[in-house]
Amino acid sequence: VTGRREGYDPSSYPPVAVTVDLAVFTIRDGALALLLVERGSEPFAGRWALPGGFIEPDEDAQGAARRELAEETALTGLDVHLEQLATYTAPDRDPRMRVVSVAHVVLAPNLAEVRGGSDAAAARWCTVEDLLDEEGPDLAFDHDLIVRDALERVRSKLEYTTLAAQFVSEPFTLAELRAVYAAVWGTAPDLGTFRRKVLSTDGFVVPVTDRTGTDRVGGDGTASRSGPRPLLFRRGPATALQPAMLRPSTG
Amino acid sequence: VTGRREGYDPSSYPPVAVTVDLAVFTIRDGALALLLVERGSEPFAGRWALPGGFIEPDEDAQGAARRELAEETALTGLDVHLEQLATYTAPDRDPRMRVVSVAHVVLAPNLAEVRGGSDAAAARWCTVEDLLDEEGPDLAFDHDLIVRDALERVRSKLEYTTLAAQFVSEPFTLAELRAVYAAVWGTAPDLGTFRRKVLSTDGFVVPVTDRTGTDRVGGDGTASRSGPRPLLFRRGPATALQPAMLRPSTG
DNA sequence: GGAATAGTGTCTGTGAGACAGTATAGG
DNA sequence: CCTATACTGTCTCACAGACACTATTCC
């Protein structure tokens, strides 16, 4: 009686808006952080929320997500990982009207700083630890739910893909890469096990042969530590881990 | 300039429709099969397509999916597995207007037969093998793409979850459960490895103690085979496999 | 007995987990 | 020297893969 695709009359349905929301993760000072923007108008004025916006008539969700990402950050979007997470459709998730949101997850290397985008009121990085804390901010709409889903997606994807390398800027050391797992999972994988796994997985990382000019300078500018100079690597073409590298806590 | 959530005027955007599409899988005669319906009107009149329909104003995507499932099949939807797959948003995926579709995956135990739903023109099961074949039917809209994504989702989820048990009706034998893996993956896992894995995973299956009246009758009515009477099981509370059971071919 | 199916046992290789131990730098 | 970091080796245990083998039923 209803719901079939045949014979649809748009004017007989209340209007629906379709948006994208972005859960942009990065590693800052060894901690997993998420990009938030401050809402300038009702509803939820003054509250923190995920960056996002409407899908334009000529673009798909992925295109809208990349455009919003470019507007909100300095990320050109070509070298960052962006994937669809899920779509949130609760009828009352936006009090103004029916809004269906296609959420995406973005993994970005450590950024210098957020530049408030072309029209964002304010933007900042918030550590996931602070966000999950009871004292932390409650996000607008159902964005707390989206963040929880996005976090679980990132945590589990580190187990069976090479996505961790998307969090470090090239060239990077294995210690930096291991720090990514520590930040995302909360516990670091065993050093020996980790090195064995990364180095034995073909195409996870590729060694950098030319190290001139990069001595003593990590991707985030760390310099002058003691100890031997670590080998440097770049991201390899592999995407899957076979078998998976499981989280220590959930093992 | 555009795309921000603040200051949205619905009338300044072309109308958008939001639908759900269902990839309903089952095992029929030892083969993985997908539920298709025949379209009765343009566009793609006469072509096979995934069942689906519009999201009503008072329901979310999951609710719409369960309603459509009940309309199209005899499945009440309470005991079948239903999960969101992904959302398809290409601007021209429907030639009439902008239609965004939230695709879902359904795993159903072997059904007697499809009853064409309340308003479906025709419905049938199509084996995945036929569908992937070059000679097979080309589905309407971007449903071929959705089916490929759904199939990969099901195949990978059998690896690290107990979802295979959703394909068999209770009570079931371990041989029937193993046949599910064989049908979905194309190759059967090793018998010994499979039994060890299933029986050593707490809560994957629970033994049925009372076997009166069920002798010699499998879930699909198979009877009078030779050999010892197999033990019968029901689905257990566990959902995850730790560690995963990997596909033989992709191992 | 023979065929078909159900279920068990056993050997082997791979790889994770957990460390101990060695090497190279700065101070 | 001491300390911090980078890296390697080794031992053990869990488990997947690949089978061979026994047991039970129908004909």
Side-chain angles (χ1 to χ4, degrees):
Chain A
V1 53
T2 63
R4 296 293 311 150
R5 183 169 281 106
E6 352 289 6
Y8 176 71
D9 174 17
S11 63
S12 72
Y13 275 79
V16 181
V18 182
T19 65
V20 295
D21 281 317
L22 299 180
V24 185
F25 291 98
T26 197
I27 311 281
R28 280 172 57 82
D29 307 321
L32 185 65
L34 182 71
L35 181 64
L36 297 179
V37 297
E38 191 173 14
R39 286 188 54 79
S41 55
E42 291 297 334
F44 300 103
R47 287 270 279 277
W48 294 94
L50 297 177
F54 293 96
I55 299 182
E56 297 292 318
D58 61 339
E59 66 188 2
D60 63 3
Q62 169 120 354
R66 292 210 177 272
R67 177 177 50 74
E68 292 290 337
L69 184 63
E71 288 177 13
E72 223 76 58
T73 71
L75 298 167
T76 63
L78 290 174
D79 54 338
V80 299
H81 176 82
L82 189 153
E83 69 177 45
Q84 193 183 112
L85 172 65
T87 299
Y88 296 81
T89 60
D92 58 349
R93 60 182 296 280
D94 189 312
R96 292 165 296 177
M97 64 177 292
R98 186 78 192 248
V99 178
V100 165
S101 180
V102 185
H104 290 73
V105 169
V106 175
L107 307 189
N110 195 337
L111 304 168
E113 201 46 54
V114 199
R115 63 129 202 254
S118 55
D119 50 6
R124 71 162 200 193
W125 292 103
C126 179
T127 68
V128 167
E129 187 185 22
D130 288 349
L131 206 52
L132 295 182
D133 195 52
E134 292 297 328
E135 308 297 319
D138 276 350
L139 302 185
F141 305 103
D142 53 0
H143 289 186
D144 283 313
L145 172 62
I146 298 177
V147 167
R148 280 198 297 276
D149 292 346
L151 183 59
E152 181 50 36
R153 173 77 139 258
V154 172
R155 282 178 172 160
S156 69
K157 274 225 156 184
L158 286 212
E159 293 190 325
Y160 59 95
T161 70
T162 63
L163 272 188
Q166 299 293 327
F167 276 121
V168 290
S169 46
E170 297 178 317
F172 53 87
T173 70
L174 291 189
E176 288 168 348
L177 185 59
R178 188 165 86 109
V180 170
Y181 286 87
V184 174
W185 286 345
T187 53
D190 177 80
L191 172 66
T193 309
F194 173 78
R195 292 182 57 88
R196 217 189 308 151
K197 186 71 182 173
V198 172
L199 295 176
S200 70
T201 300
D202 249 36
F204 191 166
V205 297
V206 293
V208 171
T209 51
D210 181 17
R211 295 171 58 183
T212 55
T214 61
D215 250 20
R216 301 283 93 188
V217 178
D220 54 350
T222 313
S224 268
R225 298 154 305 176
S226 67
R229 294 176 178 82
L231 290 174
L232 296 175
F233 298 87
R234 295 186 178 276
R235 295 185 270 270
T239 59
L241 251 49
Q242 194 71 278
M245 174 161 48
L246 299 177
R247 294 173 252 195
S249 48
T250 321
Chain B
V1 52
T2 62
R4 296 295 308 151
R5 184 171 280 106
E6 352 289 8
Y8 177 71
D9 174 19
S11 63
S12 72
Y13 275 78
V16 180
V18 181
T19 65
V20 294
D21 282 317
L22 299 180
V24 185
F25 291 99
T26 198
I27 311 280
R28 279 172 58 82
D29 307 321
L32 185 65
L34 182 71
L35 181 64
L36 297 180
V37 297
E38 191 174 14
R39 286 187 55 78
S41 56
E42 291 297 335
F44 300 103
R47 288 269 280 277
W48 293 95
L50 297 178
F54 292 95
I55 299 181
E56 298 292 318
D58 60 339
E59 66 187 3
D60 64 4
Q62 170 118 353
R66 292 209 177 272
R67 176 177 50 74
E68 292 290 337
L69 184 63
E71 288 177 11
E72 222 78 59
T73 70
L75 299 168
T76 64
L78 289 175
D79 54 337
V80 299
H81 175 82
L82 188 154
E83 69 176 45
Q84 194 184 111
L85 172 65
T87 299
Y88 296 82
T89 60
D92 59 348
R93 60 181 295 281
D94 189 312
R96 291 164 297 177
M97 64 177 291
R98 186 78 191 246
V99 178
V100 164
S101 180
V102 185
H104 291 72
V105 169
V106 175
L107 307 189
N110 197 337
L111 304 168
E113 200 48 52
V114 199
R115 62 133 205 251
S118 56
D119 49 7
R124 71 162 200 194
W125 293 103
C126 178
T127 68
V128 167
E129 186 186 22
D130 288 349
L131 206 52
L132 295 183
D133 195 51
E134 290 298 327
E135 308 298 319
D138 276 349
L139 301 185
F141 305 104
D142 53 0
H143 290 187
D144 283 314
L145 172 62
I146 297 176
V147 168
R148 280 198 297 275
D149 292 346
L151 183 59
E152 181 50 36
R153 173 75 137 263
V154 173
R155 284 178 171 160
S156 68
K157 274 226 157 185
L158 286 212
E159 293 190 324
Y160 59 95
T161 71
T162 63
L163 272 187
Q166 298 294 326
F167 276 121
V168 290
S169 46
E170 297 178 318
F172 53 87
T173 70
L174 291 189
E176 288 167 349
L177 186 59
R178 188 165 84 109
V180 170
Y181 286 88
V184 174
W185 286 345
T187 53
D190 176 80
L191 173 66
T193 308
F194 172 78
R195 291 181 58 89
R196 219 188 307 151
K197 186 73 183 174
V198 173
L199 296 175
S200 69
T201 300
D202 248 36
F204 191 166
V205 298
V206 292
V208 172
T209 51
D210 180 18
R211 296 171 58 184
T212 55
T214 61
D215 249 20
R216 300 283 94 188
V217 178
D220 55 349
T222 313
S224 266
R225 300 154 303 174
S226 66
R229 294 176 179 82
L231 290 173
L232 297 176
F233 299 86
R234 294 187 179 276
R235 294 184 271 271
T239 59
L241 253 49
Q242 193 71 275
M245 176 161 46
L246 299 178
R247 296 173 251 197
S249 49
T250 320

